[in-house]
Each structure stands twice: as structure tokens, then as C-alpha cells.
Amino acid sequence: MRTGPPTVVLATTNGKGMGHLSRQLALALASLGGMDPVIFSLSSAVTVVNQYGMRAEWAPGSQRRQVPRRHWDAYLAERITALVTETNASAFVFDGVYPYDGVLRALRRMPDVPFIWSRRAMWKKGAGSRALRYRRLFAAVLEPGDLASAGDVGRTVYLEDARRVGPITLVGQVPQLSREQAIEELDLDPDRPRLLLTLGSSKRSDLYAAHQRTVEQFTAAGWQVVVTSSPLRGRAKSAAGPKQISVFPLVRYLRAFDAAVSASGYNAVHELLYSAVPTLLVPNADAITDDQRTRARIVGNTGLALAADPDRPREFDAALERLLDHRVRDRLAASCRDLDPPTGATEAARAVIGLAAVGVPAGERMEAASLHAQRFARRVVGRALPPAVANLVGRPPRLARPGDLRGPLQVSPLLAPGLAGVPQIGGDQLLVTDALTPGLFDGRYVEHLLPGASDDYVRARAEIAARYYRLAPPSSPGIETGEAILAKSDERDWSKLGWPAS
């Protein structure tokens, strides 16, 4: 019999930034102990949840090619099913624009567990029709509010499937440092005004030019320009140019800044404006689904921020001049301070806890089963090749012959529970660990296990790995790093639980 708060798995896509992870973290923190959150993420930045004492597990996204793409959804479904079973989770929340096929397969296998889709709005006009077909498979859909919702022209506007909540942001969930503390911790110049410049990871030439013009104009005006580097890419180092920082959550340090020039993504807009930072919003046209141009325009029209397109140099330069005017910054900050506090994270947490308590009604389970049958029938009809059919129904791959580049990886598992560092391993090695060390998932093959997992889970994950990799005997004992990086925090003999001894 379950005691204590229900366990809820909070899943995120890989994404190009920290948005999905930030929203799930905000939801977890807002639950105030009403749930036991377990983060399951495809983002290599998942290690940031360590600072909040939360359990987390990482899985490789399809783009990493750790598992062949045609088998990745089957692999993801097995990973989700195993994790939900291990944690005895009462609900599964997926934050992402498109529900992966692997998520839907896991949903089908666990009809008694409420699967919830957290889906922000403000989609580009005409985008997302395929993703929205699957909304009825979920026990509920949560839609975080948006300060620019009045201008939303995306497909989600016309749907009535979602429980709409206020904006979900870390503002109000993470304590913000005082101005003096933030300046000191970031090692900023206290004697100059400071600009936060965060235009994202796009390589568009217009955004690069906007970045350069911002640095030039604000530096010439005597400001210190501070550029963010995403934790996804690690801490940036530069001997020249603007100061670079890599911190999470950034909202903790926002009081250090007198102004910001930022991309108009969901998280950036709501963190900056609810923190009353005078901001110039710059839409990134590379965003596939997110309608950043409309968000920037609508928010700009309300007087909460300035907005300018980077592909219009004169307009952009004029907006920079306005942001340099202290009277304009004072007006923007005052307008932002008049906003009601964001309540979306608390509202979403309450909804999830409620769904975890009641489960999925029998009628909805039958409807979901019917929709799944229809969905898979549509996809299978007209496909005659056995490998394609096998993949569609979620069967694991057959082991490839040596030399088959499309087949599973041939790797030697290296078992490293309690890992205390980031090892250098070969391209033919698979690191098996429950550590959450920053940088651990970059540039290496990793099978990550939930810290503190049971023997049954370690064994189940060995069985899954055996289906999706060609596990070869270890080529050498231990991990050659030149340092003693293995801690004896897990005394189990994993080789007796199905993993080849290393």
C-alpha cells in the first residue's frame, strides 16, 4: 500500500535550450511536497536538478544515434515503462511540442497510469497538425499561459482539450538573489550598468549581426555586456569580448541586470518580464513551432517590453537606442511590476496531483485503446516490408550482422555506479552509471540508471540494453582516466544482475 505523496515522472524532450526542463522543474518545486517528482529527460543538461535534491534519469535522444532511429521509439517506450514500474509512478507528465511515438507506446502499455501532455501554446500558424492528432490519447492536456496569448494564431487556440493555467515559470519558485549578491556571485562590475545578452544558439546571420551591434552600442555607452552560454554546452571561456556566464537557473541572478536583449522564447520572456528586467525582445525565426515573432510583437504592443526583428537593422538599432534611455527602462520596469504574479506552476502541480490520485477512468482507457488501434492501423496499412511493420508495432531490433552500419552499436559496457568524475572512454565503450555529473552525457555513449534503483531495475535495464546493443565483453578492466574516479557507493555486483562484468 502506497504511503506518502504520489510519485510523478516529469519527462522532457531534448530541445535546444532549457525551456522544457525549466517548466518541469517549476512544476516540481510548486508541488510543495504534494508529489515525489522523478525527472526523466533527453536533455544532457538534466544534471542541473542535482542542486534541488531530485531524482533524475537521462536517456539518449534519437539525434544522438546511440540507438538506430528506426528502433529508437521502441527503445524509448521500454525505458519509460521500466522507469514507471520501478518508481510505481501514479502519473507521467510529458513536456514537449510533439509526443514521441515511444511515449505513446508506453502510454498504451500502461493504461492505468495517467499520461499528461504539458503543451505550451503560441504555435506558428499552420504548424503542428500531426502532433495534435494524438491529444485525445492523453488523460489530460495542460497548457501554460502566455503573456502574448491575445495574439495567438496557432492551431491550439481553437481546441478545447486543454486545462489552461497561468504562465509556468521559475519566477516565484526559485528564490532570487539580491542585486548585490547576484553581482558578487557572477563576478560582475558593480560600478557599471549591466546588460544581459541572450539570443540563443541559432547561427542565423541576422542574429549574429544583432549580437555584434548590441555589444558595440552598449560597450560604447559604458555598459558591461554579459552573454549567456547554455548549460547544454557547458561553461564558455573567452579571453576577450563580453563576459560570459553559464548558470542555471538564470532567474536566480536576474536582479544583477539593468536591461536585457533576449530571444523571445517562452521561458526567457516570462522570466525576464516577471522579474521586471527592461527587455528588448528579438524573435528567432529558426524556431520550428514557437511563434516568437508574434510573441515579441504582442508583448511589445502592451508596453511590457521593446521588440525588434534582427533582419531590420535600422529598426533594431533604434530599439537599442531606446533601451539605452533610462526613462524608457523605468517605464518598462514599472509596467512589468504591475503584472500579477505567475500562478501556472502551482495550478499545474495541483492538476497533476489530482490526476495522480484518481487515475484514468475506465471509459477513457477504452477510448485510448480504440484510438491507438486506429492510429497503428492507419500507419501499417500500405507498408509491406517486414522490418517496417516490426518497427511500427514496437518490436525490438534483431541483432545486426558485423559491419551493418544501420544496426545496433557493438559496445563493451563499463560499469561505474557512484561515478565521481567525467571519464574519457572509447567510441566502442558504453558507460553504465547512475551518476549525474555535469558533462557526463556529452560525447560518449551512456546508459543511465535512476540513482538508488533496485536490483530488479538494474536487471530490467540490462535486458533492455541487450535488445538494443550488441554487448561485447569488456576490452579492458575498469576505466582508464589517470584519476581515481570510481566511488564504492554501490556495492552490488552488477554482473550478477545481467550486465557483463567490466
Side-chain angles (χ1 to χ4, degrees):
M1 184 175 180
R2 180 191 293 275
T3 59
T7 299
V8 177
V9 175
L10 303 175
T12 79
T13 64
N14 55 297
K16 291 186 178 180
M18 302 294 293
H20 302 291
L21 196 56
S22 294
R23 284 193 294 275
Q24 293 288 51
L25 180 58
L27 192 158
L29 294 174
S31 70
L32 298 176
M35 71 170 74
D36 176 19
V38 174
I39 306 295
F40 177 75
S41 182
L42 309 182
S43 169
S44 61
V46 68
T47 57
V48 299
V49 306
N50 259 344
Q51 61 191 288
Y52 297 99
M54 294 182 191
R55 292 183 294 167
E57 183 174 285
W58 175 84
S62 61
Q63 79 288 347
R64 293 177 68 99
R65 302 184 185 277
Q66 184 167 320
V67 175
R69 180 63 187 89
R70 69 185 186 280
H71 299 310
W72 180 78
D73 282 299
Y75 167 82
L76 180 63
E78 291 205 49
R79 287 287 304 268
I80 292 172
T81 303
L83 181 63
V84 170
T85 301
E86 164 69 10
T87 58
N88 194 23
S90 298
F92 180 96
V93 183
F94 173 77
D95 189 298
V97 173
Y98 189 92
Y100 298 118
D101 196 42
V103 172
L104 301 179
R105 293 180 187 187
L107 182 158
R108 180 180 57 164
R109 295 173 186 176
M110 296 179 288
D112 294 329
V113 178
F115 272 58
I116 302 160
W117 184 10
S118 179
R119 183 195 71 202
R120 60 160 180 71
M122 290 297 294
W123 292 17
K124 289 182 177 178
K125 189 173 183 178
S129 59
R130 183 180 176 189
L132 293 175
R133 294 175 189 170
Y134 309 131
R135 65 188 188 277
R136 291 174 60 203
L137 297 173
F138 290 86
V141 177
L142 297 176
E143 184 177 295
D146 198 306
L147 287 172
S149 60
D152 194 346
V153 295
R155 293 180 185 272
T156 62
V157 172
Y158 310 103
L159 301 178
E160 298 181 356
D161 63 321
R163 300 187 186 190
R164 291 182 169 87
V165 300
I168 296 180
T169 172
L170 284 169
V171 176
Q173 307 306 325
V174 173
Q176 292 185 308
L177 296 175
S178 69
R179 181 176 176 86
E180 293 74 18
Q181 288 174 319
I183 290 172
E184 182 178 357
E185 286 205 14
L186 294 177
D187 192 25
L188 305 181
D189 186 344
D191 298 323
R192 287 191 289 167
R194 291 158 300 279
L195 174 79
L196 178 68
L197 179 55
T198 174
L199 295 182
S201 59
S202 175
K203 297 181 180 180
R204 290 178 59 90
S205 59
D206 55 351
L207 282 175
Y208 177 77
H211 175 104
Q212 294 299 103
R213 292 200 300 277
T214 301
V215 172
E216 291 170 3
Q217 289 199 37
F218 274 80
T219 300
W223 286 56
Q224 180 180 27
V225 179
V226 182
V227 179
T228 59
S229 175
S230 169
L232 288 169
R233 297 186 299 275
R235 183 176 298 275
K237 296 180 180 179
S238 176
K243 181 178 179 61
Q244 300 188 36
I245 60 173
S246 177
V247 293
F248 181 88
L250 181 61
V251 65
R252 176 174 165 83
Y253 303 90
L254 287 181
R255 288 178 179 167
F257 299 101
D258 300 281
V261 175
S262 169
S264 52
Y266 182 92
N267 277 58
V269 166
H270 293 91
E271 289 186 1
L272 288 166
L273 301 193
Y274 279 115
S275 299
V277 179
T279 301
L280 168 60
L281 296 176
V282 185
N284 179 1
D286 279 350
I288 298 173
T289 306
D290 193 22
D291 191 354
Q292 292 199 16
R293 180 168 275 112
T294 297
R295 183 180 291 112
R297 176 174 56 83
I298 295 298
V299 171
N301 289 342
T302 63
L304 294 171
L306 304 178
D309 285 344
D311 55 359
R312 298 176 180 175
R314 290 184 180 179
E315 173 188 314
F316 184 81
D317 288 342
L320 290 178
E321 288 292 336
R322 292 187 64 198
L323 191 63
L324 281 166
D325 187 333
H326 71 88
R327 295 166 298 181
V328 173
R329 296 198 305 276
D330 289 345
R331 286 198 298 270
L332 293 175
S335 296
C336 290
R337 283 193 286 268
D338 286 339
L339 289 170
D340 292 330
T343 59
T346 300
E347 295 170 34
R350 289 174 179 167
V352 170
I353 293 169
L355 286 162
V358 301
V360 184
E364 293 186 16
R365 289 201 299 269
M366 293 178 61
E367 179 184 19
S370 174
L371 287 169
H372 269 299
Q374 296 174 26
R375 173 176 173 271
F376 279 91
R378 284 197 302 268
R379 292 187 64 183
V380 171
V381 169
R383 297 175 181 261
L385 295 176
V389 174
N391 184 46
L392 288 171
V393 298
R395 294 176 184 170
R398 295 179 180 178
L399 289 180
R401 294 170 297 183
D404 185 352
L405 297 180
R406 299 178 303 163
L409 289 172
Q410 179 170 335
V411 286
S412 298
L414 295 173
L415 310 182
L419 189 67
V422 179
Q424 299 297 320
I425 64 174
D428 60 345
Q429 294 174 313
L430 175 71
L431 184 65
V432 184
T433 185
D434 57 7
L436 275 170
T437 309
L440 183 65
F441 307 120
D442 299 332
R444 56 185 59 81
Y445 298 129
V446 181
E447 276 290 302
H448 186 250
L449 284 78
L450 188 70
S454 68
D455 284 357
D456 286 343
Y457 187 62
V458 175
R459 186 180 293 108
R461 289 292 305 281
E463 293 172 356
I464 293 172
R467 285 193 285 274
Y468 293 92
Y469 306 101
R470 301 184 70 215
L471 299 180
S475 56
S476 61
I479 304 176
E480 299 297 332
T481 63
E483 299 180 15
I485 62 171
L486 297 183
K488 299 297 184 182
S489 61
D490 190 330
E491 299 295 340
R492 287 179 292 191
D493 185 350
W494 284 21
S495 64
K496 293 182 180 179
L497 298 174
W499 290 97
S502 55

